[in-house]
Amino acid sequence: MRHPPCPSGGRSPLRRLLLTSMLALGAGCSNVLPERVGVADGGVGAGSGGVGLGGVGVGPAASGAVAPSASDAGTGSSTAEACAGASVIAPPARIWRLSSVQYVNTVKELFGADVPLEALPDEGVSEDGVTHFDTNADKALVNDRLASVYGTQAADIAKQAVSDVAGTADACVLDASADSTCVGRFLTGLGGRAYRRTLEEGEVARMRLFFEKARTAYGPLDATRMMIEAVLQSPHFVYRTELGPASAGAGEVTLTPHEVASELAYFLTDAPPDRELLDRAAAGPLAAATTQAQARRLVWSDAARAKLQRFFSSYLDLENAASKSKSPALFPEYGEQLRQDLRTETLTFVDKTLFEEKLSFDSLFSASFSYQNQVVAAHYGAAAPSAAFERVALPPGRNGLLSHAAVLAALSTDTTSPVHRGVFYLQTLLCRTLPVPPANAISMADKLRDPNNPTGTQREMYEYFQGAAPACAGCHTTFQPMGLSLENFDAIGRYRSTEFDKPIDPSVVVSGVAEDIDGSYGDGLKLSAAIAASREGKQCFTLQYATYALGRTIDRQQDACWLARTTDAFQASESSVQELLVAMASDPSFIQRTHE
Amino acid sequence: MEKQRAFGRRNLLRGLGAGGLLFAPFARSLRAASPAGTQPSFLAFFTPNGHVRAEFGATGSGANCVLKPSLAALASFQSQLSILSKIDNPGASEKHSHEDITRILTSRKGSDIYRGYGPSIDWVVARHFGGRPLTLSALYDEPPNYRTKLSWKESGVLDPHVDSARAIYSELFAILTPSQTPQEVDHTLAQSSSVLDYVLEDLQLLRGRVNGLERVKLDNHMDAIRQLENKLGGARPQNTPLCATSELESRVQQGLSGNDGARLQSEIELKLDLITMAFACGLSHSATLLCQPGTAGLNMIGGSGNHHDISHDGVFNLGNDQDARAVWVKIDRWYADRFAYLLKRASDLMLLESCVIAWVSEICESHDQKGFVIPVAGGSGLGMRHGHHYDAGDTLSNLWVSVQNAMGIAADQFGEQSSGGIPGLFSASA
């Protein structure tokens, strides 16, 4: 079955859109590319054009164009030039619970503890119609289950930590007769490291009271263990604050130096600030140049590389590809090892291209090489030198990320899915949203297949669908042709030139998207390369990474100038992903917050 | 016979701190004086995509009923089993689709199809006994998504299911070791309580610095800490000869392996064993097992494709593919074998008379929530009347009222359009 009327599940929001986007998008769409999210450049998109089929002579949609929405009206021509002189809009002040990865990295750094990631519950995915990440700060809550895990882990870590204290300068605290100076030194050191800042007097006093009561009741060993347990479950450890000084009232504030240090470290590496950052924070507010220099230092670290890999894994839905099997009858070779290796190929390619070959974002979508082992190369019908992942030339017909089998498999079911793939172009690469489908979409399911053409190709089915469900076509024409442009790759990413013995035509014409994207393309790989090279594509990637790493939805109105500034920096750096991250961290809004 | 291990309260906490108490024995059990195995408990066994009703359910009415072929595996339990037919869900959404999983255990309407409105029945039962339900899943390769939103702590607050057998075992049983003295137990309880008090105070102080949603985050956190604190005052677990975990521990440590079908069977049975042993050890009164195995849905019966797709090919508004229906029936029978395993396990652990077990799904053949066929087993010692086919038609809400009553909850309402329970299914005088 090619198009189940209900989604086949999966975390990816593409699947949720498949739920009904492939069926009946009705009055919300009419051959017009959906509104952009968070794009500052005006004058493109809404109210004009659409995406047509290549090779069929279908151009821009001729009818049913809708007027620009009210939300489009405000973006106008707010480019970076227009934004010059505009005041920086500070995001709301907040507290942000450490993610599971950040928690694991932090206890490792502080106590050498190895907590397995699977000990912590899955994070909930937050979807806003364009992005789908599990890093939203507003969704990062502590429920009873997570509190229980924190307690369990704190107890284990504390037990070991007490043994470790015995061999340090704080060993005196384990003695029943430890004096006030020893206790004070231990507590300020423990709290300072765990809370990633200097403790206030009142905090030290509370800790001292707790410790001494516990010592009186249970002895110094238990008191030390209990103190560590309490610190590891304290909100000052579990959350990172973006509040500014304690004395701050309503209005704009600048984050404290320690908050900036923590934000910088976790933004770039998902790990706590290192000694160098903490020392600079202790010395006072970080100058803008210092923040930028520190960002540039951290962005090339191993921890930053690991974080970018996690981002790309979510961005491309690679976990879905690695975990979901396909029909063993149809794809007997697509076992767990191959799935894992294909995922490793894509992540290794991204990592080495950006960090060792030091190539640009654009190259991710145009590269004629990848990093493969023999298993992966064989899947591509080629050979590789070894069992390790090494640089190889891609076979003809493949360039860049959208020709990677893991990416293509994640965008397929047991058949290719031009809907999944088309929505990927629309949402993930272009940051366009789709309207909510009507409630009766499910009843349109019988329009999906031509009963007289059981071996119809995906393109033939699409053409039939357009005729059978014209109300649906209004939206489907905005993305499905783009999805069809990848039909040379089957459901597990193998190359094919025919479908049911009929030649595949992967060409596509794009119009009304953006001046530097509109045109005819021989296939979807060329289209994706053009999107990556365009300003719109870079702006969308900026929005995607910012949503992931800043943990909030980027507001297309309020953040228009921020988006313009950072995209300008991205382009000016010859599309260096590292420099994009440095630009984000160097922006004034990175350290400003608003208290309501 | 399994090696028996008694355990004491102290060991609930040893090395785990207060965090290990999440599933600790609950306070205020109404039958605290009874052995754990006779205390009321409830289990919802969820499998996806509905059933082929022509083969799933019973023929005949009342006590003169015969199980249909898909439920043949349950024949030996017929005296402890009822079949409820023509059950509608008055809380169903306008969409009538798989998203209605959010409405199956809540039976309440609401505008957001991805949100449960009100606590689900497993949470209602668990709260009655002073705790929280065990919410486990057997997802195989299905990641958490809108089709895994079964249990709801309260309106809009999803209780995500735990898929890791190891995590659940660790929370429930890792502390079972030879007994400690009550004084040592009290000692550790007091320490953990002190730690949590300190954490609560820190939360309160930080709360004073924030507003709006940030306060809500901290309020949630404080609620969570208070729940852990409540456990510290809970009743002590009942030692029973049947509370034995060494074999279970071995299986958990070994992990799951094998091909898709065998692996899924192992996974479901392991999770059911964790739940039933938790009941037998008096560590829980309520549980759900959410089976939503993704692509393994057909591989387990040696087929290819996806359970969801087959159900659509078979009946759901795309056609009437008889081959697909035949495959779908096979899936129903495969799950019936797992349900039979559950009933046998409950029987072996002497739980069946005090444990009400309902087999639910999120959708019927008409691709809506009308006309469910629901096997309900166990609980005859609590007043459940079995060996019947209840086919007069009723609501899912009324089923949950009957379950409430069996648990000792004196409420005649639940969700939408309830009216005192399924007539005849529960009798307080039984």
Side-chain angles (χ1 to χ4, degrees):
Chain A
M1 183 179 191
R2 290 182 188 233
H3 295 285
C6 306
S8 52
R11 175 177 292 183
S12 169
L14 298 178
R15 293 188 185 274
R16 187 154 93 178
L17 281 168
L18 179 62
L19 160 66
T20 42
S21 65
M22 56 179 291
L23 295 173
L25 301 175
C29 238
S30 51
N31 290 18
V32 174
L33 207 64
E35 68 174 50
R36 277 166 292 169
V37 173
V39 176
D41 267 335
V44 179
S48 63
V51 177
L53 289 171
V56 184
V58 176
S63 63
V66 296
S69 68
S71 58
D72 283 340
T75 54
S77 60
S78 50
T79 61
E81 289 80 12
C83 288
S87 55
V88 170
I89 295 177
R94 65 181 177 184
I95 57 173
W96 190 357
R97 193 208 78 211
L98 296 182
S99 68
S100 299
V101 169
Q102 291 170 350
Y103 177 91
V104 166
N105 288 343
T106 303
V107 295
K108 175 71 176 175
E109 180 64 29
L110 295 184
F111 295 100
D114 287 309
V115 174
L117 197 56
E118 51 268 23
L120 291 116
D122 280 336
E123 310 273 13
V125 172
S126 184
E127 301 171 19
D128 62 9
V130 169
T131 67
H132 55 281
F133 300 117
D134 61 1
T135 54
N136 188 283
D138 290 345
K139 298 282 172 70
L141 305 178
V142 177
N143 60 17
D144 59 338
R145 186 157 269 154
L146 183 54
S148 172
V149 170
Y150 284 158
T152 304
Q153 297 303 327
D156 283 349
I157 294 169
K159 202 161 66 163
Q160 181 59 46
V162 169
S163 304
D164 295 342
V165 164
T168 70
D170 287 328
C172 54
V173 80
L174 300 176
D175 194 307
S177 60
D179 64 18
S180 176
T181 304
C182 168
V183 170
R185 188 178 60 235
F186 168 69
L187 295 178
T188 51
L190 171 67
R193 284 198 318 276
Y195 301 167
R196 305 171 287 269
R197 56 176 171 78
T198 308
L199 299 187
E200 295 163 14
E201 261 186 50
E203 285 181 303
V204 179
R206 278 188 58 238
M207 290 176 76
R208 187 185 285 278
L209 184 62
F210 176 87
F211 179 82
E212 286 174 356
K213 274 188 177 174
R215 186 170 62 171
T216 303
Y218 309 113
L221 289 175
D222 277 5
T224 304
R225 178 182 51 74
M226 288 167 64
M227 190 76 257
I228 297 172
E229 278 191 44
V231 162
L232 283 173
Q233 296 177 79
S234 168
H236 301 298
F237 173 78
V238 166
Y239 297 93
R240 197 167 53 70
T241 64
E242 296 176 11
L243 302 174
S247 55
E252 269 199 29
V253 295
T254 301
L255 299 184
T256 67
H258 283 96
E259 285 179 325
V260 174
S262 277
E263 193 193 1
L264 203 52
Y266 284 109
F267 171 71
L268 291 169
T269 69
D270 276 342
D274 57 15
R275 180 44 50 194
E276 180 175 342
L277 252 184
L278 287 171
D279 287 345
R280 288 184 183 274
L286 277 66
T290 305
T291 304
Q292 189 176 71
Q294 289 296 313
R296 201 161 273 133
R297 174 176 73 86
L298 292 174
V299 83
W300 289 94
S301 66
D302 287 346
R305 289 175 73 161
K307 177 157 185 166
L308 261 177
Q309 287 202 42
R310 284 191 293 277
F311 163 75
F312 273 94
S313 188
S314 287
Y315 174 68
L316 299 171
D317 210 14
L318 295 182
E319 286 307 320
N320 193 16
S323 64
K324 284 191 82 71
S325 57
K326 308 266 181 179
S327 164
L330 295 174
F331 307 109
E333 75 274 41
Y334 195 68
E336 189 174 341
Q337 188 56 55
L338 175 60
R339 297 199 302 270
Q340 293 293 345
D341 283 355
L342 293 176
R343 176 180 176 271
T344 302
E345 175 206 5
T346 299
L347 292 179
T348 306
F349 164 75
V350 169
D351 177 65
K352 289 188 184 288
T353 301
L354 296 181
F355 286 94
E356 291 184 12
E357 307 207 27
K358 298 183 181 165
L359 296 176
S360 69
F361 169 72
D362 300 19
S363 64
L364 295 177
F365 291 87
S366 59
S368 58
F369 62 88
S370 184
Y371 285 80
Q372 298 180 347
N373 64 2
Q374 288 163 337
V375 170
V376 172
H379 183 69
Y380 285 43
S386 78
F389 283 84
E390 297 186 16
R391 192 187 207 270
V392 296
L394 285 170
R398 291 188 191 261
N399 292 92
L401 280 173
L402 259 61
S403 70
H404 283 217
V407 176
L408 293 158
L411 299 172
S412 308
T413 57
D414 280 347
T415 66
T416 60
S417 176
V419 172
H420 273 113
R421 294 173 177 189
V423 171
F424 176 83
Y425 276 99
L426 199 67
Q427 290 190 330
T428 305
L429 299 186
L430 290 170
C431 289
R432 304 295 178 100
T433 57
L434 279 166
V436 176
N440 66 343
I442 198 80
S443 66
M444 306 296 283
D446 59 356
K447 303 286 192 292
L448 293 170
R449 58 169 67 175
D450 180 355
N452 299 317
N453 187 8
T455 57
T457 64
Q458 290 284 9
R459 193 174 282 276
E460 287 170 342
M461 287 179 60
Y462 172 63
E463 289 164 3
Y464 172 80
F465 173 60
Q466 284 191 294
C472 308
C475 272
H476 278 256
T477 55
T478 64
F479 57 84
Q480 205 153 337
M482 291 192 281
L484 286 166
S485 71
L486 290 173
E487 275 300 298
N488 278 131
F489 301 102
D490 72 6
I492 57 173
R494 294 176 303 194
Y495 186 85
R496 61 182 187 175
S497 55
T498 63
E499 185 186 2
F500 292 120
D501 296 323
K502 302 168 195 174
I504 289 171
D505 173 11
S507 63
V508 59
V509 173
V510 174
S511 61
V513 175
E515 201 176 305
D516 51 358
I517 297 176
D518 290 352
S520 301
Y521 296 91
D523 61 40
L525 303 182
K526 295 183 177 65
L527 172 60
S528 67
I531 292 174
S534 71
R535 180 175 175 87
E536 181 138 345
K538 288 186 176 41
Q539 199 156 17
C540 181
F541 181 77
T542 300
L543 183 150
Q544 294 276 353
Y545 189 81
T547 305
Y548 176 81
L550 296 176
R552 62 184 180 89
T553 301
I554 304 301
D555 186 296
R556 61 176 296 178
Q557 300 289 338
Q558 200 150 309
D559 297 317
C561 288
W562 175 87
L563 203 48
R565 288 195 300 271
T566 45
T567 305
D568 279 351
F570 193 18
Q571 286 188 297
S573 69
E574 295 181 350
S575 307
S576 160
V577 171
Q578 290 88 341
E579 285 302 308
L580 170 63
L581 273 50
V582 169
M584 287 186 188
S586 306
D587 191 86
S589 64
F590 193 75
I591 64 170
Q592 303 291 330
R593 295 293 180 271
T594 301
H595 279 281
E596 287 160 15
Chain B
M1 186 174 189
E2 270 193 280
K3 180 181 172 185
Q4 307 298 337
R5 293 195 292 180
F7 60 93
R9 183 77 180 166
R10 154 80 173 183
N11 302 298
L12 287 164
L13 307 166
R14 197 183 75 166
L16 294 178
L21 288 175
L22 183 61
F23 292 121
F26 305 125
R28 301 183 294 283
S29 167
L30 295 178
R31 301 185 188 218
S34 312
T38 64
Q39 294 178 18
S41 52
F42 167 68
L43 168 58
F45 177 71
F46 175 93
T47 62
N49 303 311
H51 313 284
V52 180
R53 285 176 295 197
E55 309 256 342
F56 185 95
T59 55
S61 287
N64 299 318
C65 63
V66 176
L67 292 176
K68 289 183 179 176
S70 288
L71 296 182
L74 308 183
S76 60
F77 296 100
Q78 194 156 352
S79 65
Q80 289 279 356
L81 178 70
S82 292
I83 304 297
L84 279 57
S85 297
K86 303 174 191 169
I87 302 293
D88 295 346
N89 184 8
S93 71
E94 299 287 324
K95 191 160 186 195
H96 293 293
S97 188
H98 303 276
E99 289 86 343
D100 281 74
I101 188 174
T102 59
R103 313 296 173 96
I104 295 304
L105 300 187
T106 59
S107 291
R108 280 187 176 83
K109 285 185 177 295
S111 55
D112 184 345
I113 59 172
Y114 299 108
R115 177 185 168 119
Y117 290 86
S120 48
I121 184 65
D122 54 334
W123 267 93
V124 169
V125 170
R127 280 210 179 96
H128 175 68
F129 293 104
R132 58 121 62 236
L134 291 178
T135 47
L136 309 193
S137 59
L139 296 184
Y140 188 63
D141 65 1
E142 179 88 9
N145 59 64
Y146 78 97
R147 302 213 300 193
T148 58
K149 294 183 174 182
L150 181 63
S151 282
W152 296 82
K153 182 179 175 184
E154 57 194 58
S155 196
V157 181
L158 176 70
D159 181 18
H161 284 64
V162 177
D163 204 56
S164 165
R166 197 166 291 202
I168 284 290
Y169 182 91
S170 178
E171 282 195 35
L172 285 169
F173 302 116
I175 41 67
L176 292 181
T177 60
S179 298
Q180 300 292 307
T181 67
Q183 290 76 16
E184 287 173 322
V185 171
D186 290 337
H187 182 91
T188 311
L189 281 173
Q191 288 187 354
S192 298
S193 189
S194 297
V195 167
L196 291 179
D197 282 347
Y198 184 91
V199 173
L200 264 180
E201 201 177 318
D202 264 1
L203 283 163
Q204 199 65 258
L205 289 169
L206 182 59
R207 187 182 186 276
R209 290 192 58 197
V210 299
N211 296 306
L213 177 62
E214 310 314 297
R215 279 204 169 179
V216 173
K217 292 177 185 174
L218 295 175
D219 288 343
N220 276 329
H221 195 161
M222 286 194 282
D223 276 347
I225 298 296
R226 289 189 191 105
Q227 283 186 54
L228 295 186
E229 284 199 319
N230 284 343
K231 296 296 183 290
L232 294 174
R236 297 180 180 215
Q238 303 288 327
N239 288 338
T240 76
L242 294 166
C243 177
T245 63
S246 53
E247 187 262 347
L248 197 55
E249 182 179 10
S250 297
R251 287 163 62 198
V252 168
Q253 294 299 344
Q254 198 175 356
L256 298 166
S257 60
N259 65 26
D260 296 343
R263 151 78 187 270
L264 184 59
Q265 177 176 342
S266 300
E267 183 170 357
I268 290 175
E269 290 176 359
L270 178 59
K271 304 289 175 58
L272 289 173
D273 287 344
L274 284 166
I275 291 171
T276 49
M277 188 56 72
F279 287 172
C281 295
L283 295 176
S284 179
H285 289 269
S286 179
T288 58
L289 178 62
L290 167 68
C291 300
Q292 187 71 268
T295 62
L298 286 190
N299 300 338
M300 62 202 183
I301 57 164
S304 67
N306 176 286
H307 182 186
H308 165 270
D309 296 354
I310 282 293
S311 65
H312 276 266
D313 284 336
V315 170
F316 294 161
N317 63 350
L318 273 190
N320 193 18
D321 182 332
Q322 293 303 316
D323 290 341
R325 283 175 69 88
V327 172
W328 193 2
V329 166
K330 276 190 181 176
I331 297 171
D332 283 345
R333 293 182 184 190
W334 190 89
Y335 277 119
D337 286 340
R338 309 286 81 73
F339 195 70
Y341 175 93
L342 166 60
L343 299 188
K344 180 168 191 316
R345 195 78 186 111
S347 177
D348 291 344
L349 290 173
M350 300 173 62
L351 295 172
L352 199 50
E353 291 203 348
S354 61
C355 180
V356 178
I357 304 171
W359 180 357
V360 295
S361 190
E362 86 284 11
I363 205 162
C364 296
E365 283 169 275
S366 38
H367 210 278
D368 57 22
Q369 283 69 43
K370 294 182 181 156
F372 282 114
V373 174
I374 300 178
V376 178
S380 58
L382 305 174
M384 297 293 283
R385 295 181 61 229
H386 287 309
H388 283 70
H389 181 195
Y390 295 91
D391 65 343
D394 214 306
T395 65
L396 199 54
S397 318
N398 268 337
L399 169 59
W400 302 141
V401 170
S402 296
V403 167
Q404 283 183 146
N405 297 160
M407 296 298 112
I409 302 170
D412 59 1
Q413 302 292 322
F414 184 92
E416 310 278 348
Q417 298 176 30
S418 58
S419 55
I422 305 277
L425 180 60
F426 169 78
S427 170
S429 59

